[in-house]
Amino acid sequence: MMLTFTEENYLKAIYHLEISSETRETSTNTIAEHLGIKPATVTAMLKKLNDKEYISYQKYGKVSLSAAGRNIALQIVRKHRLWEVFLVEKLDFTWDEVHEIAEQLEHIQSSKLIDQLDKFLKYPAFDPHGDPIPDTAGQVHEQTRLTLAHAEIGKVYKVIAVNDTSAVFLQYLMQLHITLSTKLKVLSRLEFDQSMIILINHQKEIIISEKLSQNILIA
């Protein structure tokens, strides 16, 4: 069954909210806040997706993806992240430029095109922001992650992903010369506000805020 772009966006949004929730569920208000639209509009779409058996939903209750809905969401995420890799590796886009373009490309329906794109890119496991790319069967191979905010003082870590993929955040990281694979060492943590003094690639010392450290994922 063909879905509209809007329906696909809802399924993808529910998927992202589910994986960030301990209960693997979300709610109408959370979805509305995530998408920046009114709860009444969300309710109407949830009823439609529930009728199509892509989600489980009861009025004023929790929302969760069905097996069919989760599979569709994973394929959308797969397309999005593969296109981001293509844009960065083959067309020289920077990591802060690709999200909005991939939002458009993720709705392409040809599975053959996406499989060929995956093959052409040599089956990447992660996108330019460090997020795992689901395989053709919808399997996601996560890696152990730790936020920089929880790093031990004196240890050296490698940046493997970011929690915030907004252009303004990624541009700020580039100004600090922090990208994926950058080596970071926590020199000290200030008790007053939990800001940190870190060493970047064994060369440059800077002070970063707690908010910044919470959005950098390391291993």
Side-chain angles (χ1 to χ4, degrees), residues 125-142:
F126 300 94
D127 74 7
H129 309 115
D131 291 316
I133 300 173
D135 63 22
T136 186
Q139 297 296 312
V140 181
H141 304 287
E142 296 279 2

Side-chain angles (χ1 to χ4, degrees), residues 60-73:
Y60 307 120
K62 296 297 182 181
V63 181
S64 59
L65 292 169
S66 66
R70 182 178 176 81
N71 181 62
I72 291 172

Side-chain angles (χ1 to χ4, degrees), residues 20 50 113 120 137 187 213 215:
S20 64
N50 186 70
L113 171 61
F120 175 68
L187 301 178
S213 68
N215 281 290

Side-chain angles (χ1 to χ4, degrees), residues 8 82 90 137:
E8 289 189 344
L82 283 172
K90 306 303 179 182

Side-chain angles (χ1 to χ4, degrees), residues 11-12 15 19 65 67-81 133-135 137-140:
L11 293 178
K12 185 180 70 169
Y15 168 77
I19 63 174
L65 292 169
R70 182 178 176 81
N71 181 62
I72 291 172
L74 282 164
Q75 293 309 313
I76 297 167
V77 170
R78 178 173 183 251
K79 289 185 283 186
H80 183 104
R81 293 176 179 172
I133 300 173
D135 63 22
Q139 297 296 312
V140 181

Side-chain angles (χ1 to χ4, degrees), residues 139-159:
Q139 297 296 312
V140 181
H141 304 287
E142 296 279 2
Q143 61 182 156
T144 302
R145 299 176 172 195
L146 179 74
T147 65
L148 183 58
H150 293 94
E152 293 183 30
I153 294 174
K155 288 188 67 174
V156 177
Y157 298 87
K158 180 175 71 173
V159 177

Side-chain angles (χ1 to χ4, degrees), residues 14-32:
I14 295 169
Y15 168 77
H16 285 309
L17 291 169
E18 278 188 359
I19 63 174
S20 64
S21 167
E22 292 183 1
T23 63
R24 296 290 172 169
E25 294 177 320
T26 186
S27 67
T28 302
N29 287 339
T30 304
I31 297 168

